């Protein structure tokens, strides 16, 4: 199975962290569904051109988080992801995106009022269009 | 994770190994290659990669120092039982088998390897499209190579040594080789030591990299700890004088030069530290890119050892 993980070579983010974050999102967002058998450690390492050491670390971390489980001899599967985890994750992603937008605002010396107006406008615009 | 790391056992170990040749001396080499991983031996021609593999096959013996296999030094020769768990694809194929076809050579090798898997051998020969009736000595370099790889794997080795296995392979055969080695590692508790010049091979296969240069071992590292270790940065700069000022502020930067009027480039490690530093100096960073594995290894060969990522995290 091919997993849509993309490594950004120019990012300062360590390799294992990039892979872990993306794999976690794929599982929590439901893109990779419960019960899916993931590629073997060696296979995924080959695809991503990283070492098995890195992939093993990612699988272990996500197993500790309860997102994956390993069955001896069969491989690593996606576990059941609770609705609570899903909701927490959603909020987390949005919060991070908003924070970085506000950071941009700060860096160009945008005032709080300006930013709030812009934000409301964008929300109205986007949500209005969807109806 | 940490506990598991401690449990990793060594497939082979070199302790102060020296080998004097007529024109050069190799060593002292000190290195341990872990079981269950693929280690790539990289380095320029004549850096000592093949000699290292010879020492591991006891085709050559150290003048000084000691080699250990799975924890034991077999100074009186490798026992048959261990040899039967090792396979080797030499840089130049042995001429003894030149008059045999692939099947005849397999027949001979089967006698020596109790775990020889004939079905697997035939599967690989089929996949690689090695000619059936041609004598090995009459085959093209690539065809012979494919036979050697198939025969080495069919012996189901626990330790597989490959000396530039892909030389002469066309891109299709190369891809099959990569996938076959990955699958083999997946299905067996094996260790592979591969000497190679092909960066893509290192990228796709290796877990660890051992870098050799002029008979010395420059170092061994987990491949991924090299990721992002060096970057090239382009900065906006007024002219030669500002460039000199920047150079004085960044003594660790390499190859600082004016690219075009107004733009200079430089190489640096740990970009997230220096990018901010440069900006604080009032210099605008235009762009940056991480150096590729081959560029990192080439810098290392020239004496610029990378700060390894894992060491930095203190792990």
């Amino acid at each position: 199975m091919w997993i849509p993980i993309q490594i950004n070579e120019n990012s300062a983010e360590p390799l294992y962290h990039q892979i872990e974050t993306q794999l976690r999102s794929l599982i929590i967002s439901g893109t990779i569904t419960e019960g899916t058998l993931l590629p073997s450690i060696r296979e995924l390492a080959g695809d991503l051109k990283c070492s098995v050491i890195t992939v093993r670390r990612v699988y272990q971390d996500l197993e500790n988080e309860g997102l994956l489980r390993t069955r001896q001899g069969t491989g690593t599967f996606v576990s059941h992801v609770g609705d609570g985890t899903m909701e927490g994750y959603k909020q987390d992603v949005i919060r991070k995106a908003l924070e970085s937008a506000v950071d941009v605002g700060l860096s160009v010396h945008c005032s709080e009022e300006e930013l709030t107006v812009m934000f409301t406008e964008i929300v109205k615009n986007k949500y209005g269009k969807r109806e | 994770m940490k506990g598991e790391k401690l449990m990793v056992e060594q497939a082979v170990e070199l302790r102060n190994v020296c080998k004097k040749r007529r024109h050069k001396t190799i060593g002292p080499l000190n290195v341990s290659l872990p079981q269950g991983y693929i280690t790539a031996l990289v380095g320029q021609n004549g850096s000592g990669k093949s000699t290292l593999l010879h020492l591991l096959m006891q085709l050559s013996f150290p003048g000084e120092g000691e080699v250990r296999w799975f924890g034991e030094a077999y100074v009186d020769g490798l026992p048959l039982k261990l040899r039967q768990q090792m396979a080797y694809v030499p840089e130049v194929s042995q001429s003894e088998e030149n008059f045999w076809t692939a099947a005849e050579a397999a027949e001979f090798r089967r006698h020596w390897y109790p775990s020889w898997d004939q079905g697997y051998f035939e599967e690989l020969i089929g996949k690689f499209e090695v000619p059936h009736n041609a004598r090995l000595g009459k085959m093209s370099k690539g065809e012979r190579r494919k036979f050697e790889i198939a025969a080495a794997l069919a012996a189901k080795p626990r330790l597989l040594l490959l000396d530039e296995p892909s030389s002469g392979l066309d891109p299709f055969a190369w891809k099959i080789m990569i996938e076959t080695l990955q699958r083999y590692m997946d299905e067996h508790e094996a260790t592979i030591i591969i000497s190679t010049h092909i960066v893509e091979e290192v990228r796709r296969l290796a877990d660890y990299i051992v870098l050799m240069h002029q008979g010395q071992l420059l170092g061994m590292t987990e491949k991924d700890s090299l990721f992002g270790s060096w970057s090239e940065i382009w900065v906006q700069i007024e002219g030669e004088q500002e460039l000199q000022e920047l150079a004085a502020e960044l003594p660790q930067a390499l190859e600082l030069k004016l690219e075009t009027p107004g733009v200079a480039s430089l190489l640096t490690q740990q970009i997230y530290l220096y990018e901010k530093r440069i900006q604080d100096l009032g210099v605008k960073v235009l762009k940056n890119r991480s150096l590729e594995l081959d560029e990192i290894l080439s810098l290392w060969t020239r004496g610029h050892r990378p700060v390894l990522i894992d060491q930095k995290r203190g792990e």
Side-chain angles (χ1 to χ4, degrees):
Chain A
M1 148 182 215
W2 179 75
I3 297 194
I5 290 178
Q6 218 158 25
I7 290 172
N8 179 1
E9 310 237 334
N10 292 318
S11 165
E13 194 184 349
L15 196 54
Y16 97 90
H17 199 257
Q18 288 192 31
I19 299 170
E20 190 169 298
T21 312
Q22 290 184 42
L23 187 54
R24 188 187 289 116
S25 318
L26 288 167
I27 294 167
I28 294 179
S29 65
T31 313
I32 306 179
T33 51
E34 184 186 340
T36 306
L37 173 64
L38 292 185
S40 72
I41 290 173
R42 178 63 66 185
E43 214 179 323
L44 187 57
D47 286 348
L48 300 177
K49 299 178 182 179
C50 65
S51 78
V52 292
I53 304 154
T54 298
V55 177
R56 184 169 299 135
R57 187 166 167 191
V58 168
Y59 277 14
Q60 254 162 8
D61 282 356
L62 297 182
E63 211 176 316
N64 292 342
E65 289 176 26
L67 297 176
L68 297 178
R69 68 200 139 87
T70 297
R71 259 191 248 138
Q72 276 307 319
T74 18
T76 303
F77 297 83
V78 175
S79 302
H80 176 72
V81 181
D83 293 341
T85 320
M86 205 90 117
E87 193 49 44
Y89 173 75
K90 224 161 68 182
Q91 293 202 2
D92 218 39
V93 182
I94 297 170
R95 191 169 286 277
K96 270 191 193 142
L98 288 177
E99 273 172 4
S100 72
V102 175
D103 283 342
V104 174
L106 279 171
S107 74
V108 294
H109 306 294
C110 179
S111 75
E112 196 181 329
E113 290 73 31
E114 274 177 298
L115 202 65
T116 318
V117 169
M118 252 196 256
F119 176 71
T120 320
E121 201 182 291
I122 291 167
V123 170
K124 266 199 189 133
N125 209 337
K126 298 257 180 192
Y127 278 78
K129 265 183 195 154
R130 286 182 63 184
E131 274 159 21
Chain B
M1 186 81 208
K2 291 233 159 100
E4 192 184 293
K5 257 184 188 166
L6 293 174
M7 273 161 43
V8 172
E9 285 170 19
Q10 307 306 330
V12 292
E13 196 183 342
L14 278 77
R15 297 182 180 172
N16 289 314
V17 168
C18 288
K19 177 84 199 163
K20 286 198 173 60
R21 284 280 163 88
R22 228 174 312 159
H23 301 293
K24 59 184 174 195
T25 302
I26 287 175
L29 305 177
N30 283 292
V31 71
S32 297
L33 307 182
Q35 259 185 69
Y37 293 97
I38 302 180
T39 300
L41 288 180
V42 296
Q44 295 162 358
N45 294 326
S47 56
K49 306 189 295 293
S50 294
T51 307
L52 176 54
L53 291 176
H54 290 168
L55 289 164
L56 296 182
M57 283 306 291
Q58 281 195 345
L59 293 169
S60 163
F61 292 85
E64 282 168 49
E66 184 180 74
V67 184
R68 287 177 166 259
W69 292 261
F70 303 102
E72 290 208 49
Y74 298 101
V75 278
D76 300 320
L78 291 172
L80 180 63
K81 202 160 181 293
L82 178 57
R83 276 193 186 268
Q84 287 168 333
Q85 296 175 18
M86 292 167 65
Y88 170 51
V89 173
E91 199 178 1
V92 181
S93 298
Q94 307 287 319
S95 57
E96 286 87 344
E97 290 178 323
N98 277 356
F99 294 100
W100 283 335
T101 63
E104 287 163 350
E107 183 69 40
F108 175 73
R109 293 194 186 201
R110 194 157 60 193
H111 284 295
W112 294 99
Y113 288 104
S115 43
W116 182 273
D117 185 337
Q118 184 65 18
Y120 185 45
F121 175 73
E122 278 160 22
E123 182 197 319
L124 291 179
I125 288 293
K127 247 192 221 167
F128 276 133
E129 299 180 32
V130 175
H132 279 283
N133 300 317
R135 289 177 174 179
L136 296 180
K138 295 281 179 201
M139 287 182 182
S140 73
K141 190 181 179 194
E143 287 169 339
R144 177 70 182 262
R145 217 75 192 135
K146 293 190 278 190
F147 160 79
E148 297 289 347
I149 295 166
L153 286 167
K156 296 277 159 162
R158 192 176 160 209
L159 175 59
L160 177 60
L161 309 177
L162 303 167
D163 199 347
E164 294 183 30
S166 59
S167 65
L169 295 194
D170 63 59
F172 299 103
W174 181 81
K175 192 158 179 274
I176 296 171
M177 180 193 82
I178 298 284
E179 286 165 1
T180 303
L181 292 177
Q182 282 171 346
R183 177 156 303 169
Y184 187 81
M185 286 299 281
D186 232 352
E187 292 167 355
H188 302 81
E189 295 281 312
T191 302
I192 297 181
I193 300 166
I194 175 173
S195 102
T196 178
H197 288 292
I198 319 285
V199 179
E200 198 51 27
E201 228 158 82
V202 180
R203 287 169 53 103
R204 295 213 192 186
L205 287 175
D207 301 310
Y208 291 94
I209 295 176
V210 167
L211 179 61
M212 296 193 72
H213 186 57
Q214 295 176 343
Q216 299 298 313
L217 216 139
L218 292 188
M220 172 170 175
T221 171
E222 217 184 287
K223 177 179 66 182
D224 296 348
S225 63
L226 294 175
F227 179 85
S229 59
W230 280 95
S231 303
E232 181 170 15
I233 314 183
W234 285 267
V235 293
Q236 203 169 21
I237 213 131
E238 291 288 323
E240 212 38 69
Q241 197 195 332
E242 202 186 330
L243 188 68
Q244 296 304 329
E245 286 167 18
L246 185 64
E249 290 290 338
L250 301 168
Q252 72 295 324
L254 296 177
E255 298 181 17
L256 193 72
K257 58 178 183 280
L258 268 181
E259 293 277 352
T260 51
V263 179
S265 70
L266 59 109
L267 301 182
T268 177
Q269 301 208 43
Q270 297 167 280
I271 182 167
Y272 51 90
L273 291 181
Y274 294 114
E275 194 173 11
K276 179 150 193 318
R277 177 104 172 269
I278 293 168
Q279 281 163 351
D280 289 347
L281 292 168
V283 176
K284 192 175 174 204
V285 175
L286 298 169
K287 188 182 139 176
N288 71 66
R289 72 166 183 108
S290 293
L291 293 197
E292 302 276 341
L293 185 60
D294 54 331
E295 297 171 299
I296 296 169
L297 293 174
S298 142
L299 280 170
W300 193 350
T301 302
R302 279 150 48 200
H304 305 293
R305 192 189 170 86
V307 175
L308 301 176
I309 305 296
D310 269 340
Q311 291 179 355
K312 215 161 45 204
R313 280 200 300 259
E315 291 181 15

